[in-house]
Amino acid sequence: MKKILSLVLILLVCTSCKESSNQLEVSGSTSIAPVMEKLIASYEKDNNVKINLTADGSSAGITAATDGVSDIGMSSRSLTKDELKDDLNVNIIGIDAIVVVVNKNNGVDNLTIDDLHDIYSGKKTNWKDFGGINRPIVLVSRENGSGTRDAFEENIKVKTDQGISLVDSNNPVIVNSTGAVIENVAQKEGAIGYMSLGSVDDEIKAIKLNGVEPSEQSIIDKKYPITRDFYLVSKKDNKKVDEFISFILSKKGQQIMENEGFIKVK
Amino acid sequence: MNNIFEIINLNLWYGSKQALKNISINIDDNCVVALIGPSGCGKSTFLRCLNRMNDLIANCRIEGSILFNNENVNSDSYNEIELRKKVGMVFQRPNPFPMSIYENVIYGPKCQGLTNKKELDSIVENSLKKAALWDDVKDRLHSSALGLSGGQQQRLCIARAIAMEPDVLLMDEPTSALDPIATTKIEELINELKKDYTIIIVTHSMQQAARISDYTAFFLMGELIEYDKTDVIFANPKNSKTEDYITGRFG
Amino acid sequence: MKKQVFFETLYKLSIIFASLLLLLIIIFIFLEGFPALREYGFIKMIFNGEWQPTAKNPSFGLLYMILSTVVSTILSLLISIPIGILSSVCLVRMVNAKIKNIIMFIVEILAGIPSVIVGFFVLKTVVSFLYDHFYYMVGVSGNSMLAAIFVLALMSLPTIITVCVNSLEAVDPMYTEASLGLGANKIQTIYKVELRAARSGIFAAIVLGAGRVIGETMAVMLVSGNAINLPKNLLEPTRTLTSNIATEMSYASGLHQNALYASGIILFIMIMIINIVLLVLLNKGGVDNA
Amino acid sequence: MLNRSWGVTLIKLLTYLATILLVILVFCLAGFIVIQGIGFLNKELFKESVPLIITTLMVVGLALLIALPLGIFSAIYLQIYTNNGRFVKAMRFSIDSLNGIPSIIFGLFALSFFIYYIGLNRSILTASLIMSIVVLPLIIKNTEEAIKTIKVDQIQGSLALGASKFTTINRVIIPYCIDGIINGVILAIGKIVGETAAIMFVIGTASVIPHSFMDQGSTLATKLYLIIQEPTYSSNGIGSAYGIALILLLIVVLLNLLVKLVNYLFKKRG
């Protein structure tokens, strides 16, 4: 018994020395994490640096980058005024379209931004107002503070000047994961939800916005109305960080972004 | 003095091991019968057959008939709940329930559906009086039974059994866990109870058997060696094995 | 003798270190939550239902969420405790060992399931059933208090049963024999004596079960709809204190984050109240044999 | 009610009904996971979950390594060496209350105390540390209950024979209450293997085989949560989450059997 306890003590002691060598800590937005994992995998192949990834949300990423706990913070929403510090540099590494999804049996396949505004603010509550079947609309929304939700609600203007979202007062189904959005929309015929273009799968149906089909081309031509940028936040003049970011913005990096359904910046 | 128990060719096996071999005995009512013999001779097993407590043991097989008031207890048709109402039992270690003294005594009657408060109070009073415990506890009936001393707890168990107004009281070495003073109190109590109940008591101490019992049965290796009046057994036993055991040559 | 001194100091050190660790967490919660209590006011936080943390002048009213936690905890325990205790009795006393081992084997596994999966199970079954039958009502989506109660009961059952079965098996057979010897039948013996004798174990099971229910986040968030409203009927979506912490903590900052920790303090107080109630019931029930 | 014959039959009926309900619920849940996940159990998923299994076992191992001695010794101290005074009752009370704290708060504690304050890195070690704290109340409570169930007179019997408290512990208490402790260990394993909220901030998302406790990694449960969070994480979306859940149940089964085996061997030898 004594041996075990001494082993534990040694373990505790030796860990307090912080490892600085060639390791990078990346943490933040869950929407960016999947593609970041692939970027890291390909970057680590030809550079001997170990990059650790944690997916704990956009704001956690920004805070970690500001406090230096992470070398790079990922955010799928634009930074607020007091988050923007002068010793931070912010790079946009890709553009993502936010797609509106409905149940596969829902006849509606095109909505305008104003329709979305009426639906999510609770003015219109039945699909028959949009030529669909007579069934109440079930709003599926992401949690407060999710980058995807911020970008979506910014575009369909459902936030009062007080900063309160009208969506909350219409008994929405609030979930904090894309998987739950898919499951709720797939099982409920009256449901409407939104997610990043790359996440749409065959259990649900993505619809056109203002008549425009969500595709890479329509986003590049700026015709698709709801997009958002992927930001990387990091401290200035850190060589290893800048090398990694320049890799992401390189042809190879942007190609990986595209394979994952996101739009190239360069 | 009619027979309250008539046991004919009783055999019992625990799995493959035979614990009781072909026992036949008649027990009269309103007297004290002591069962003596070396440990493991089957006297406790025999006692537990009388209120079918051995049913609880998984691989226990019983053959032969046990007539209680001329009805065979061993048959499946006979309801063992009815039997245990008539044949109370007190165990070696005092085992009062983790409840108050009052709740302990009325447990049996309440299980039979008696709920009238007045009746229950009177049952409690005369059971505790009969068990010579009333004076010690009459002002703390609702305190915990676990707070009593060993001897008091055993008397509470006796009072609990009496509350069912049984015909027979089985006692499995009731005093072996008690100090001498408590033991004599229990023995005096048994002499008192003899008037109303048939008492069958398993005991290790032959002095105790001699002191309080009318009849004594001597068991050895699962067999009933000799059964007779106590003074006959202790004065001039017929069977040599009994004599050897009585005089302490073995056992 | 030296060995004994060593071990006894080890025991003392362990309890000190363990309570220090656990105290650290309590202090951490109170430290982080206190600013919000001071600035926004404990009373205002408890008796105001409006939760708008990111508005211009934010409001941190937790009333609706406190009620949601209270209602969902009590109702789910009202389901899981009876089923848990009754089935533990059946498994220990009324069913042969082989069946009991099979069921216990699976129950023990279910104690290890990540709550996300139990959440999806209820989402795919109960929630979609509720939606298919009540879709015509505006504001009803199947994600509701009822589904949350179902998932909480399902989550706490394995814990309650494992501990109950364990304590029932440890009941001294002398009580069983004493009760049967007095002419009581099997059911009376179990429910009037054995449960009483195993009481402290059963209460431990309830405390652990209640802890699991109050502390549950992932599964509840999947099925409860997470909309903040006064729990009026079981079909409306609801958000418990715990789900609120889990959903918003990843993006909260400043006073908003302190408010979430403050709701952690309130949760801690609620758990204490439940423990106090259970302790009183345990002692009031007369005698405690252990 | 129990004193009436109809009451007895009613309770008997309710008891059987509760068990049937339990069996239905339990088999539906287990069946749901098997049906949903069986389709995705292919070689590729097994290969993909090898690092997850290793990380999970590392967290379980280290967390129990810390929590078990700490928890058992604390429980022994609370049960044997204290007179159940007011202070002890208050401590036991607060330990019980910690059982109800949502694991998300433990996660945040880990993030701000271990990572921000002490400066530990995000790693499997940090995750194991926080998990040992999460299961500590569970182990203390279970061990105390196990000690309580030992017949009081067996403990007094040993003390009466002049054995010191210490030898009583080794000779009487630990051998007798091993089963109770084992049940606590099984509950703790269940909690550690199934935990996501408490460790997801501090364990990272790497899905490669970790070489040391200092590396990051994801356990079966955190990977499963990540996939549900963003289905694009794995090739066949949410389906592989169910596949991983099945593998996770397999691991829980194996760990439970291992613990019971160790207990059996310990008893046979002891």
Side-chain angles (χ1 to χ4, degrees):
Chain A
M1 198 48 103
K2 276 190 298 268
K3 284 190 298 313
I4 299 170
L5 285 181
S6 42
L7 175 73
V8 168
L9 286 175
I10 295 166
L11 260 176
L12 280 178
V13 164
C14 88
T15 59
S16 53
C17 48
K18 208 151 166 5
E19 218 139 330
S20 57
S21 61
N22 52 5
Q23 274 209 343
L24 273 181
E25 287 288 331
V26 180
S27 75
S29 155
T30 50
S31 329
I32 307 176
V35 67
M36 183 54 78
E37 190 170 82
K38 298 206 170 45
L39 285 167
I40 289 175
S42 102
Y43 184 73
E44 275 177 347
K45 273 210 200 69
D46 31 35
N47 300 276
N48 81 19
V49 69
K50 184 162 188 347
I51 302 180
N52 293 323
L53 176 65
T54 305
D56 51 7
S58 298
S59 304
I62 297 170
T63 335
T66 330
D67 296 352
V69 165
S70 296
D71 303 296
I72 298 176
M74 302 179 286
S75 165
S76 59
R77 64 171 171 79
S78 46
L79 275 69
T80 59
K81 277 192 308 314
D82 48 37
E83 277 169 344
L84 277 172
K85 301 263 184 332
D86 38 36
D87 68 345
L88 287 183
N89 66 35
V90 179
N91 304 68
I92 296 179
I93 58 167
I95 304 164
D96 176 30
I98 293 181
V99 168
V100 175
V101 288
V102 291
N103 189 286
K104 280 207 284 197
N105 307 345
N106 187 337
V108 174
D109 56 15
N110 175 29
L111 285 172
T112 67
I113 293 293
D114 301 339
D115 296 339
L116 289 176
H117 174 78
D118 298 345
I119 291 174
Y120 269 89
S121 58
K123 284 206 192 62
K124 295 207 174 100
T125 60
N126 198 301
W127 279 110
K128 65 181 186 314
D129 305 346
F130 304 96
I133 44 170
N134 173 357
R135 180 169 283 236
I137 300 173
V138 174
L139 303 179
V140 179
S141 149
R142 287 299 298 269
E143 78 280 14
N144 299 17
S146 123
T148 316
R149 172 169 180 168
D150 272 358
F152 179 70
E153 292 194 351
E154 217 58 61
N155 278 282
I156 64 170
K157 299 178 194 59
V158 281
K159 275 215 163 78
T160 64
D161 42 30
Q162 274 299 325
I164 295 172
S165 162
L166 296 172
V167 175
D168 285 333
S169 47
N170 308 312
N171 274 348
V173 174
I174 300 175
V175 289
N176 68 345
S177 67
T178 309
V181 174
I182 294 173
E183 176 54 33
N184 276 294
V185 170
Q187 72 172 230
K188 299 177 169 74
E189 282 183 13
I192 179 170
Y194 51 86
M195 62 183 64
S196 121
L197 175 61
S199 304
V200 180
D201 75 2
D202 47 24
E203 282 186 44
I204 44 178
K205 180 175 86 173
I207 61 169
K208 292 199 277 267
L209 286 188
N210 298 352
V212 175
E213 184 68 36
S215 69
E216 196 207 338
Q217 201 45 44
S218 67
I219 297 161
I220 290 175
D221 309 342
K222 294 275 184 293
K223 285 226 256 5
Y224 189 78
I226 304 181
T227 60
R228 55 154 176 199
D229 300 333
F230 281 167
Y231 300 91
L232 288 189
V233 179
S234 56
K235 284 268 173 32
K236 283 201 167 66
D237 52 53
N238 175 330
K239 209 169 73 55
K240 279 201 296 301
V241 166
D242 297 341
E243 272 164 20
F244 180 49
I245 291 181
S246 58
F247 162 76
I248 296 174
L249 297 174
S250 71
K251 219 171 93 43
K252 198 169 176 213
Q254 289 299 298
Q255 186 50 43
I256 294 173
M257 291 292 286
E258 200 177 42
N259 303 348
E260 292 305 308
F262 301 112
I263 313 313
K264 293 189 276 191
V265 171
K266 280 240 178 32
Chain B
M1 288 276 265
N2 53 11
N3 290 343
I4 193 157
F5 269 114
E6 242 183 284
I7 291 116
I8 306 146
N9 302 340
L10 175 67
N11 291 298
L12 182 140
W13 289 267
Y14 287 131
S16 55
K17 193 166 104 23
Q18 179 158 16
L20 293 177
K21 299 184 185 89
N22 184 339
I23 306 228
S24 298
I25 182 174
N26 295 350
I27 297 174
D28 298 342
D29 59 2
N30 288 81
C31 66
V32 179
V33 176
L35 312 178
I36 58 169
S39 60
C41 66
K43 54 187 186 303
S44 287
T45 314
F46 171 74
L47 188 79
R48 290 165 67 97
C49 289
L50 301 183
N51 69 343
R52 282 182 57 179
M53 205 45 106
N54 286 327
D55 293 5
L56 300 179
I57 299 154
N59 48 16
C60 164
R61 197 158 52 82
I62 301 175
E63 273 164 19
S65 60
I66 303 174
L67 299 181
F68 172 63
N69 292 341
N70 307 326
E71 275 176 273
N72 183 359
V73 158
N74 237 346
S75 68
D76 294 341
S77 62
Y78 195 98
N79 172 346
E80 79 269 15
I81 304 274
E82 290 311 314
L83 171 67
R84 291 183 187 137
K85 277 197 250 171
K86 288 283 156 272
V87 180
M89 186 165 196
V90 176
F91 297 85
Q92 180 176 0
R93 219 159 23 101
N95 55 5
F97 298 132
M99 311 172 191
S100 68
I101 297 167
Y102 185 88
E103 278 170 321
N104 261 281
V105 180
I106 59 167
Y107 179 81
K110 239 178 138 188
C111 282
Q112 303 314 322
L114 195 66
T115 48
N116 172 316
K117 182 103 177 43
K118 233 158 38 38
E119 265 180 64
L120 290 177
D121 290 350
S122 71
I123 288 178
V124 170
E125 194 171 336
N126 18 32
S127 308
L128 287 172
K129 277 193 177 125
K130 271 193 197 151
L133 194 57
W134 175 253
D135 307 331
D136 302 9
V137 296
K138 60 178 182 294
D139 40 25
R140 49 188 178 107
L141 285 179
H142 291 289
S143 69
S144 144
L146 302 178
L148 300 173
S149 73
Q152 288 172 326
Q153 282 186 10
Q154 192 66 312
R155 273 183 280 149
L156 176 63
C157 293
I158 295 172
R160 193 173 58 179
I162 296 173
M164 295 298 294
E165 280 134 12
D167 300 342
V168 177
L169 264 180
L170 307 179
M171 296 195 176
D172 189 353
E173 294 177 51
T175 58
S176 66
L178 302 182
D179 57 72
I181 303 155
T183 304
T184 35
K185 273 215 182 97
I186 300 277
E187 285 176 4
E188 282 153 15
L189 179 57
I190 292 174
N191 273 328
E192 266 307 303
L193 295 174
K194 191 159 64 170
K195 300 190 191 71
D196 318 327
Y197 307 97
T198 310
I199 296 176
I200 304 172
I201 179 165
V202 164
T203 179
H204 263 296
S205 112
M206 277 180 275
Q207 294 77 6
Q208 182 170 64
R211 274 201 299 272
I212 57 172
S213 67
D214 306 326
Y215 293 85
T216 299
F218 172 53
F219 284 80
L220 188 63
M221 313 282 281
E223 282 165 35
L224 175 59
I225 306 301
E226 198 173 336
Y227 171 62
D228 205 324
K229 280 198 173 318
T230 300
D231 34 36
V232 166
I233 292 280
F234 283 103
N236 41 44
K238 296 188 184 55
N239 187 312
S240 64
K241 285 187 200 136
T242 318
E243 191 170 352
D244 297 348
Y245 182 68
I246 302 285
T247 52
R249 241 182 250 103
F250 72 89
Chain C
M1 205 31 210
K2 207 163 68 52
K3 198 158 170 296
Q4 171 172 345
V5 167
F6 169 77
F7 265 100
E8 278 173 1
T9 38
L10 196 62
Y11 296 146
K12 203 171 278 159
L13 282 179
S14 311
I15 185 65
I16 292 168
F17 191 59
S19 30
L20 263 182
L21 274 178
L22 301 177
L23 209 61
L24 209 55
I25 298 207
I26 297 173
I27 292 169
F28 166 72
I29 301 172
F30 276 85
L31 223 58
E32 292 280 345
F34 188 67
L37 294 181
R38 195 182 57 237
E39 219 141 302
Y40 191 72
F42 185 76
I43 305 303
K44 212 164 134 203
M45 202 175 245
I46 287 198
F47 292 107
N48 158 2
E50 187 62 26
W51 171 265
Q52 283 303 348
T54 50
K56 290 291 177 299
N57 44 42
S59 53
F60 301 110
L62 297 171
L63 178 62
Y64 292 163
M65 289 182 266
I66 293 173
L67 291 176
S68 162
T69 303
V70 168
V71 168
S72 58
T73 305
I74 290 172
L75 291 183
S76 58
L77 286 177
L78 279 183
I79 296 171
S80 59
I81 291 174
I83 291 183
I85 293 177
L86 289 177
S87 45
S88 304
V89 162
C90 187
L91 288 175
V92 173
R93 285 287 181 264
M94 295 182 184
V95 157
N96 70 46
K98 216 154 35 61
I99 297 178
K100 177 210 151 202
N101 288 336
I102 295 167
I103 296 178
M104 278 312 285
F105 182 76
I106 298 195
V107 164
E108 261 161 29
I109 302 174
L110 295 190
I113 285 195
S115 49
V116 172
I117 288 295
V118 179
F120 256 78
F121 168 67
V122 173
L123 186 60
K124 275 193 184 291
T125 51
V126 174
V127 172
S128 83
F129 171 83
L130 286 177
Y131 178 73
D132 298 344
H133 286 76
F134 298 101
Y135 65 86
Y136 44 84
M137 290 156 73
V138 177
V140 164
S141 59
N143 302 57
S144 55
M145 170 71 85
L146 190 59
I149 287 166
F150 193 85
V151 88
L152 288 174
L154 210 52
M155 291 298 299
S156 51
L157 261 177
T159 315
I160 291 176
I161 288 174
T162 321
V163 178
C164 267
V165 163
N166 185 14
S167 65
L168 275 172
E169 275 168 346
V171 167
D172 190 334
M174 77 172 181
Y175 289 127
T176 320
E177 284 191 352
S179 168
L180 292 175
L182 287 164
N185 59 42
K186 194 166 183 184
I187 294 286
Q188 288 168 330
T189 303
I190 296 169
Y191 282 98
K192 290 180 90 161
V193 171
E194 289 180 7
L195 278 190
R196 174 71 75 96
R199 205 176 35 184
S200 92
I202 287 170
F203 271 93
I206 294 174
V207 165
L208 289 177
R212 188 85 200 249
V213 162
I214 283 209
E216 184 44 55
T217 43
M218 299 294 174
V220 177
M221 286 193 313
L222 277 168
V223 296
S224 70
N226 286 320
I228 303 172
N229 43 36
L230 189 64
K232 294 191 289 303
N233 69 48
L234 293 181
L235 280 180
E236 266 190 3
T238 185
R239 178 186 293 195
T240 63
L241 271 178
T242 328
S243 314
N244 187 45
I245 298 173
T247 3
E248 303 207 344
M249 194 52 102
S250 60
Y251 85 98
S253 59
L255 201 57
H256 178 199
Q257 189 171 37
N258 299 126
L260 291 175
Y261 280 113
S263 53
I265 299 173
I266 293 168
L267 260 179
F268 189 69
I269 293 167
M270 284 168 72
I271 302 154
M272 283 223 225
I273 293 169
I274 287 188
N275 285 346
I276 291 175
V277 165
L278 289 176
L279 271 179
V280 163
L281 287 178
L282 176 66
N283 296 339
K284 191 183 65 56
V287 162
D288 179 351
N289 67 334
Chain D
M1 176 165 75
L2 272 171
N3 308 328
R4 294 281 183 287
S5 63
W6 56 267
V8 170
T9 29
L10 176 66
I11 296 276
K12 193 172 215 173
L13 200 65
L14 283 178
T15 312
Y16 282 117
L17 195 66
T19 316
I20 291 162
L21 208 57
L22 170 82
V23 166
I24 292 170
L25 280 178
V26 152
F27 277 91
C28 281
L29 183 52
F32 167 78
I33 296 168
V34 169
I35 294 163
Q36 294 282 353
I38 207 82
F40 297 93
L41 275 190
N42 45 40
K43 237 184 71 45
E44 186 247 343
L45 188 71
F46 268 109
K47 203 166 65 58
E48 192 190 312
S49 33
V50 163
L52 309 178
I53 295 170
I54 293 173
T55 314
T56 308
L57 294 179
M58 285 167 83
V59 174
V60 169
L62 186 54
L64 285 182
L65 194 67
I66 300 168
L68 270 183
L70 212 55
I72 294 172
F73 291 162
S74 309
I76 288 175
Y77 185 82
L78 281 177
Q79 275 293 319
I80 306 295
Y81 284 90
T82 60
N83 48 25
N84 251 337
R86 191 173 309 284
F87 173 71
V88 168
K89 281 220 171 84
M91 185 187 300
R92 182 174 300 140
F93 183 76
S94 55
I95 290 177
D96 285 353
S97 313
L98 266 171
N99 238 308
I101 294 283
S103 44
I104 187 87
I105 289 202
F106 283 99
L108 295 161
F109 170 78
L111 187 61
S112 41
F113 183 69
F114 288 132
I115 309 271
Y116 279 80
Y117 188 71
I118 291 189
L120 284 176
N121 284 352
R122 284 192 178 90
S123 62
I124 292 174
L125 172 76
T126 324
S128 311
L129 284 177
I130 191 63
M131 278 323 293
S132 66
I133 298 175
V134 168
V135 291
L136 198 53
L138 195 68
I139 291 177
I140 292 178
K141 185 146 196 67
N142 255 288
T143 315
E144 278 202 87
E145 283 308 315
I147 297 173
K148 269 194 213 164
T149 52
I150 304 170
K151 319 294 177 304
V152 175
D153 46 28
Q154 267 152 346
I155 296 177
Q156 276 146 7
S158 160
L159 290 176
L161 294 171
S164 70
K165 280 187 180 164
F166 169 64
T167 31
T168 312
I169 289 169
N170 295 353
R171 293 258 159 55
V172 171
I173 289 170
I174 290 191
Y176 268 88
C177 68
I178 280 286
D179 291 346
I181 295 176
I182 291 298
N183 275 309
V185 169
I186 286 177
L187 277 179
I189 288 176
K191 198 156 195 176
I192 298 171
V193 172
E195 185 53 65
T196 47
I199 54 176
M200 66 185 182
F201 297 122
V202 291
I203 197 166
T205 57
S207 45
V208 285
I209 297 178
H211 301 304
S212 81
F213 278 97
M214 285 312 302
D215 285 347
Q216 295 190 6
S218 14
T219 65
L220 288 159
T222 49
K223 183 69 166 180
L224 185 144
Y225 182 70
L226 277 177
I227 291 173
I228 288 180
Q229 191 86 25
E230 292 301 335
T232 50
Y233 247 103
S234 91
S235 46
N236 28 38
I238 295 187
S240 49
Y242 290 113
I244 290 179
L246 255 187
I247 297 171
L248 189 145
L249 289 191
L250 210 62
I251 299 295
V252 171
V253 165
L254 292 179
L255 285 175
N256 288 355
L257 289 181
L258 180 69
V259 166
K260 286 184 178 156
L261 186 67
V262 163
N263 175 19
Y264 174 74
L265 292 178
F266 178 83
K267 268 211 199 125
K268 215 151 69 64
R269 187 188 58 74

